[in-house]
Structures are given as C-alpha cells and as structure tokens.
Amino acid sequence: MRRRSLLLSVPAGLVTLAACGNDKAASGTTDGSQSPSPSASATSAAPPPKIVSGPLPAITAGTGFGQKPTVAKGSGEPSKDLAVKTLIAGGGRTLAENDYVQAHYLGQIWETGKVFDNSYDRKTPLLIQLAQGTIIDGWRYALAGKKVGSRVQFSVPPTWGYGTQGNTQAGIKGTDTLVFVVDVQNAFNATSSAKGKAVAPSDAALPKVGTNTDGKAPSIQVPKKAAPNKLVADYVIEGDGPAVKADSTVLVQYKGVVWDTGKEFDSTYARHALTSFSLQQVVKGWSQGMTGKKVGSRVLIVIPPSLGYGDNPPPNSGLTKDSTMVFSVDILAAM
C-alpha cells in the first residue's frame, strides 16, 4: 500500500487542514461540481469494455479545440459498449493509466441531451488522475492511448459510468448513457518536472536546489548555518504559467529534507507518484509559500516550525519537535 503523503496528514489540533485526506481535493474536483469523478460507491468493478467507433451524436457548434461544444441529443439506442472517437488528433504525449490529465469537458445525457456538467463555463479545466476509484471507468478507457492536444468524444453506458445507482446530484439515472466531449490540454506522470528558466540563488545562507528537469529528484544542499525563523519561498526555476491562488488545488512533485540533518523525510520521487491537494489542506508554510508562484516553476520553500508542524510532528515521519523543513516543489498544474 502506498504511503500517504505527509502533506495530507497534519495532526489534529493544527489549524492548517480543513479535513485530512479529503478525496475531492486530492482528485482535483471541487465542492458542488457534478464532474465525472465518482464517489467510492460508484466505482465500477466491471471488466474492460469493448471499444467501438459509434454511434455518437453530432457536434453542432463549438467544434474547435478548447471551444465549448454544443452536442445534439442522441439518436436511437446508444451502444452497449464504449463508443470513442477522436475528433481532433493532438501531437502531445500519450496518456496512460495513472497519469494526471488536465482537460476541459462537457457531459450530457444521451436520451435527453441535458448537459449535467461542463468545465468551459467555469473557465477552469479539470485536473484528475486516470486511476480506478478516482474517475469513472469510461474516462479511463476512452482516454488511454490518446494524445495531449486531442479532442475526444465518447459515450459511456452505466456499466462504466455511475452504475445502476446513477448520480442523483447530477440528475443521472441508473439507466442513462452519458456523452462526453473532452479537450485534453495536458498530462503528467511521475517523471514530470518544472519547465522554465533557472533563477540564480541570491542568498548563500539558504539551501541550494538542483535545476535538473529530467524527472529525477533534485539535490538539496542545506548550509551549515542557523535556519531562518521566517518563511522562505524562492524560485529555483521560474515557469510561465498562471499564478497559484490561495484556494487552488495543485499538482506537484516535491522532496522534503530536515534543515538540521539534511535527511530526506518525504518525497513524491521516492513514491514514484505525484501528489494533488488543495492549498487549504496543508500546513501554513506550504499554502503561503506557493500562493502567487507560477505554474511550471520549481520553488525552494523553507518552513519554520511556527508555520509547519511545531511541537507536534506526525508520528513516524522522520521529523522531530520544532523541525525546520526544506522543500523543493515543482508546481506542475493548478486549478
């Protein structure tokens, strides 16, 4: 079983987490959204579907990549299999199981043509992992093998959607086949890194972080000096993406070491798995240090105990009371 990130394991009593390990925030969904991300009870245990090319309803407007589509109501009976069609073929990297995907999408019901959710109106793409239990199986199978930059249309029978229970919040019955149009904007996996311009260190009294972008963990060299008593959040590599907001959900690669010893205590690189979380769920040093930083960046964050775990570190974390933590954080995406 994969070790849970310390970032989502803040002890009770600290005011840095609204809810430890909240699955909605970790998967990139937002409260009130009727997105294709299912609850645990809706997760399909069905065998892989047969993938066919149709039938699929016509797109009558918004046919360009990134444009909100208008999709006709389904005609006749939908396929009992997973119907998938690539409308626009992208040239980016190929999606695989367990990748994180960033995409705009629209979902509607085959029989009625009712749109139950879309990200275009929110002007914020979905950020979610293509993994069982995180998103409905229809998405996993329809998008696997597709490339970034593609527009994909597919229909999902209940077996690979919300099952016989449907999704009452979204107005989906247990017999409804769903139609999705998805614009795949980006994808990330355990080898993803920051992309930008290296920034020369300005203070020799601070740790030095490596600038490699090959997907391997950067080095962190902690000086033999007293730790700062204030938060440090400096660019190591400056990206050119949008600025992270205080309430953003972010997707990151990171590595953490203890200032006093230089010993690593937590790392997505060691787990070979990215981490996604809301900045409202983590210690204050993380939320304050990442707010305002650009997506695509690598950031050095030094967190004093007052903005970290203080005298109550997580058990078996490798941290002691009043530890100053040093992080290298690659901000891959935000929503």
Side-chain angles (χ1 to χ4, degrees):
M1 184 175 180
R2 196 174 76 192
R3 180 165 63 96
R4 180 181 289 272
S5 166
L6 290 171
L7 298 176
L8 298 182
S9 304
V10 178
L14 293 184
V15 293
T16 51
L17 271 190
C20 294
N22 180 287
D23 287 336
K24 286 185 178 180
S27 65
T29 60
T30 55
D31 291 342
S33 170
Q34 296 148 352
S35 78
S37 178
S39 64
S41 61
T43 301
S44 171
K50 179 182 178 181
I51 296 179
V52 296
S53 60
L56 287 166
I59 298 179
T60 59
T63 57
F65 183 86
Q67 296 177 347
K68 180 183 176 181
T70 300
V71 184
K73 185 174 71 171
S75 176
E77 290 296 316
S79 176
K80 300 299 183 184
D81 301 313
L82 189 67
V84 183
K85 185 176 182 180
T86 300
L87 303 176
I88 298 173
R93 78 176 192 82
T94 302
L95 303 184
E97 180 78 359
N98 294 318
D99 282 358
Y100 281 84
V101 62
Q102 192 169 37
H104 271 303
Y105 69 97
L106 178 141
Q108 69 183 48
I109 297 170
W110 175 283
E111 184 178 10
T112 64
K114 177 187 175 183
V115 175
F116 58 84
D117 192 28
N118 87 89
S119 65
Y120 300 93
D121 289 347
R122 292 192 293 271
K123 303 186 185 305
T124 301
L126 177 74
L127 176 62
I128 201 163
Q129 189 176 22
L130 295 181
Q132 188 172 23
T134 301
I135 196 167
I136 59 174
D137 283 349
W139 271 62
R140 294 172 51 224
Y141 293 117
L143 294 181
K146 304 303 182 185
K147 293 187 176 182
V148 171
S150 297
R151 167 167 280 197
V152 184
Q153 183 182 19
F154 51 97
S155 66
V156 182
T159 301
W160 297 283
Y162 292 99
T164 56
Q165 71 271 33
N167 184 318
T168 54
Q169 183 185 21
I172 298 169
K173 302 191 300 292
T175 56
D176 283 335
T177 289
L178 310 177
V179 178
F180 291 99
V181 177
V182 178
D183 289 331
V184 183
Q185 296 189 323
N186 214 336
F188 309 91
N189 62 21
T191 65
S192 296
S193 291
K195 293 181 179 180
K197 182 179 179 181
V199 177
S202 59
D203 189 343
L206 294 176
K208 184 178 180 180
V209 177
T211 57
N212 58 295
T213 56
D214 55 0
K216 297 180 181 179
S219 60
I220 301 179
Q221 300 174 9
V222 182
K224 301 294 184 181
K225 298 179 181 294
N229 55 20
K230 293 183 179 180
L231 177 70
V232 174
D234 292 344
Y235 284 119
V236 177
I237 296 173
E238 185 173 358
D240 59 3
V244 174
K245 299 177 182 178
D247 60 352
S248 290
T249 290
V250 294
L251 178 67
V252 299
Q253 283 268 39
Y254 72 89
K255 172 182 173 181
V257 304
V258 180
W259 180 288
D260 288 343
T261 64
K263 183 178 179 181
E264 180 180 305
F265 65 89
D266 195 15
S267 170
T268 57
Y269 301 95
R271 291 193 296 274
H272 304 289
L274 305 178
T275 292
S276 178
F277 54 83
S278 166
L279 290 187
Q280 295 180 326
Q281 287 187 294
V282 290
V283 294
K284 288 182 178 179
W286 265 79
S287 57
Q288 293 178 16
M290 293 184 67
T291 298
K293 293 296 188 284
K294 298 175 185 177
V295 171
S297 299
R298 175 171 297 165
V299 183
L300 163 68
I301 302 180
V302 181
I303 303 178
S306 60
L307 296 177
Y309 296 108
D311 61 359
N312 190 22
N316 304 314
S317 64
L319 297 171
T320 58
K321 291 183 178 180
D322 297 323
S323 289
T324 294
M325 299 180 290
V326 180
F327 287 100
S328 168
V329 184
D330 283 14
I331 308 171
L332 303 177
M335 65 168 283

